Each structure stands twice: as C-alpha cells, then as structure tokens.
Amino acid sequence: MSGKVIITCAVTGSIHTPTMSPHLPITAEEIADAAIGAAEAGAAVVHLHARDPETGEPDQAVEAFTPFLQVIKQRSDCVVNITTGGAATMTIEERVAPAKTCRPEVASLNMGSMNFGLYPMLARFPELTHQWEYEYLEGSRDRIFKNTFADIEYILTTCAENGTRFEIECYDISHLYTLAHFAERGVVKPPFFVQSVFGILGGIGAHPEDIAHMKRTADRLFGKDYHWSVLGAGRNQMRVAAIAAAMGGNVRVGLEDSLWIGPGQFAESNAEQVIKVRGIIEGLGLEIASPEDARAMLQLKGGDQVGS
C-alpha cells in the first residue's frame, strides 16, 4: 500500500459543545449524514461518538449509537470506528459498552490518564446555550481523563472476542511506551494503528519537532508493526496533517478535532475538511486509501462481521 494514505474523519466527538458551531452534528440523522458525506469525500474510516439529540451532551448509551450505525452500514462501505473514549465524565463501563455490543471493525483506545484542558474555550465562547456546556468545560480545569492500566486492559479484553482492532490514541510519548507494554504482554496484537494527537492542552504540543519525536519513538518501538496516523487539534489540524503526510503518515480530520476550515472560518461540514486534506495529500503526489485498502492495511475483519 506504498503511497496510500488513510483519511479518518471524526465527525462530532465530545470536545466541542453545540453553542460553538451551528454545523456540529448532534442528532443521529446528522451524525449519519456527516459520516456518509465524509466517506463520499474520501474518508476510509469514520470515528463516531453519540450525543443527546436535545441538548447535544455526549451520550455513550448503546441505544444512542445504533440508529446512525444502521444507516451508515446501509449507505456506505466505510470502516466504522466507535469511540471507547466517550467523555472524561463517564465510567469505563459506560465508555466500552457500544464497542462491546456493536462489535465494530475499529474502536478507539486512549493510552493514558491525563489532564485534558477544555476550559480555555470558555474565553472564546462566553455565552453558552446549555448549563451542562459551562459545567463540562469549566470542570476540565480539575478533571483527570482517567485511562489507567486496568482501564486499558479492561477495554482490550472486553473487546477481545469481537475481532475489533483499535485506533490507539497517543497524546504523549509515554503513551507509546504504554502500548509497547501491552504489546509485549500479548494483550494487543500488531499491526497497531497509532493515532498521535497533537495540540490538546495536557498532551504533547503541535510543533514540528513534537511530531518528529513521536514518529521517531514509534518507529523505534514498533518498527514495521504499526501504521501511523495524526490529528492536530484546532488550528493545528491541516498543518499537522500536511507534515505527517509528507513523512509517510495517515491523517485524521473532522469536527471532533477542529471546528474550522481556515482562520476565523467555520467548516460547514466534515466533508469540507476531508476534501481539503485530500487536496494536501494528493498535492504531495500521494493517493488516498479506499475502505478496502484500509481494511487490508490494518488487517480488519470486514464490514460483514460487525454487529450493527
């Protein structure tokens, strides 16, 4: 698959709140349409969270996922990736339930406990529609996003019988070493799909040296046993993607990671970000991976083996 780049699109997430952008998908219908639009634009993988359709609050109930999972399965061949990160306010049992029940081809997996600072967004969005938005953002000042060794092993073993592989989210260099620990124990098997996250307050920065350091460390720890992907938070999104694509990496975009398409300009859809990053990739003389390419590269079980 030399030269083929997997584009993942994370369509809504649990970071941004509804007041921040009128284009953030909230309802099951909006999430399904956003995922299918991203896939049609060139995303091989869609990374999915659910939300309460009335308030937009993150919702990790299995019943919140199944309506849009069923629509996506009917209308697209893209690889579906269900979050086990959920939100930092949820228990580990709540977070893993959709992946356990729906048995996706891919599920996300956070590789370490960390500060996850969302509260600076209050300065940019001082007037919020829902009380939960304020409490959620302000609460991140004194909240740990808990991903202990026991939590990580619980997710891995809970999904072990599903044939689900993982988007292994690494927000810092130490998270690569945590992955190496579980790989050495045989709890998780290669090929690893390592998603390096840059620019979250509490994780590694988005400087080119940070990106290079993450890649060097992963190369040393995992050699040919992994595929590297990146996401840049906020204004870092396209710049980080361009740097990583030029280094041979895969990329992730989407309104989970950034609400913007340019300085001061909202992205009106997830597909718009996919189209933009696709232009960067193809401008480098590279080819985007299809869903079938991604399945082959990541050794996935196939869309006919999922539960929803």
Side-chain angles (χ1 to χ4, degrees), residues 18-45:
T19 304
M20 296 179 183
S21 171
H23 309 296
L24 187 70
I26 300 297
T27 68
E29 181 179 7
E30 290 169 346
I31 292 168
D33 287 344
I36 292 161
E40 290 174 346
V45 181

Side-chain angles (χ1 to χ4, degrees), residues 10-303:
V11 303
T12 189
S14 63
I15 292 175
H16 299 113
T17 69
T19 304
M20 296 179 183
S21 171
H23 309 296
L24 187 70
I26 300 297
T27 68
E29 181 179 7
E30 290 169 346
I31 292 168
D33 287 344
I36 292 161
E40 290 174 346
V45 181
V46 292
H47 171 114
L48 302 173
H49 288 242
R51 291 178 179 264
D52 182 291
E54 300 297 327
T55 66
E57 191 169 5
D59 185 349
Q60 202 69 1
V62 174
E63 296 76 17
F65 280 79
T66 50
F68 59 74
L69 291 176
Q70 291 168 353
V71 173
I72 294 167
K73 185 176 180 179
Q74 290 168 358
R75 293 174 52 192
S76 178
D77 187 40
C78 62
V79 175
V80 167
N81 173 350
I82 294 179
T83 180
T84 69
T89 53
M90 299 170 179
T91 68
I92 196 66
E93 291 80 11
E94 290 171 328
R95 287 164 49 188
V96 80
K100 176 184 178 182
T101 302
C102 301
R103 308 193 308 277
E105 292 186 81
V106 180
S108 67
L109 176 59
N110 296 68
M111 270 291 135
S113 300
M114 59 183 292
N115 294 322
F116 204 108
L118 305 178
Y119 63 88
M121 287 191 281
L122 287 167
R124 284 175 280 165
F125 302 96
E127 296 184 10
L128 300 171
T129 304
H130 304 283
Q131 180 63 25
W132 79 262
E133 296 178 85
Y134 174 80
E135 294 169 354
Y136 184 70
L137 298 174
E138 178 58 32
S140 72
R141 194 187 301 269
D142 192 37
R143 180 189 303 129
I144 297 294
F145 187 19
K146 177 176 170 289
N147 295 283
T148 64
F149 289 106
D151 292 337
I152 294 167
E153 189 161 354
Y154 177 77
I155 292 172
L156 288 168
T157 55
T158 298
C159 295
E161 302 302 316
N162 289 351
T164 298
R165 285 195 170 274
F166 293 92
E167 175 199 21
I168 298 171
E169 297 192 357
C170 296
Y171 294 76
D172 220 330
I173 297 299
S174 61
H175 296 179
L176 295 174
Y177 283 90
T178 298
L179 171 58
H181 162 76
F182 283 105
E184 183 178 353
R185 290 176 50 199
V187 182
V188 61
K189 307 287 187 182
F192 310 119
F193 187 35
V194 174
Q195 189 73 257
S196 296
V197 184
F198 299 95
I200 292 290
L201 180 60
I204 196 168
H207 190 278
E209 286 297 326
D210 295 320
I211 300 167
H213 183 38
M214 185 77 81
K215 177 68 161 57
R216 284 193 302 266
T217 305
D219 283 347
R220 177 166 48 79
L221 290 175
F222 309 118
K224 296 181 179 180
D225 284 343
Y226 87 109
H227 294 277
W228 185 52
S229 184
V230 303
L231 72 90
R235 66 180 181 271
N236 301 302
Q237 185 182 69
M238 295 298 166
R239 183 176 60 84
V240 169
I243 293 169
M247 296 170 66
N250 304 284
V251 303
R252 178 174 129 176
V253 294
L255 296 184
E256 171 172 354
D257 305 327
S258 175
L259 297 175
W260 313 99
I261 196 64
Q265 182 182 357
F266 281 125
E268 295 187 7
S269 68
N270 283 273
E272 188 178 11
Q273 291 183 346
V274 173
I275 290 167
K276 184 167 184 176
V277 82
R278 179 175 182 169
I280 292 169
I281 292 164
E282 292 177 338
L284 292 168
L286 302 169
E287 184 181 350
I288 65 164
S290 69
E292 284 310 304
D293 292 332
R295 289 184 173 98
M297 293 163 70
L298 304 178
Q299 297 182 20
L300 304 181
K301 62 183 179 179

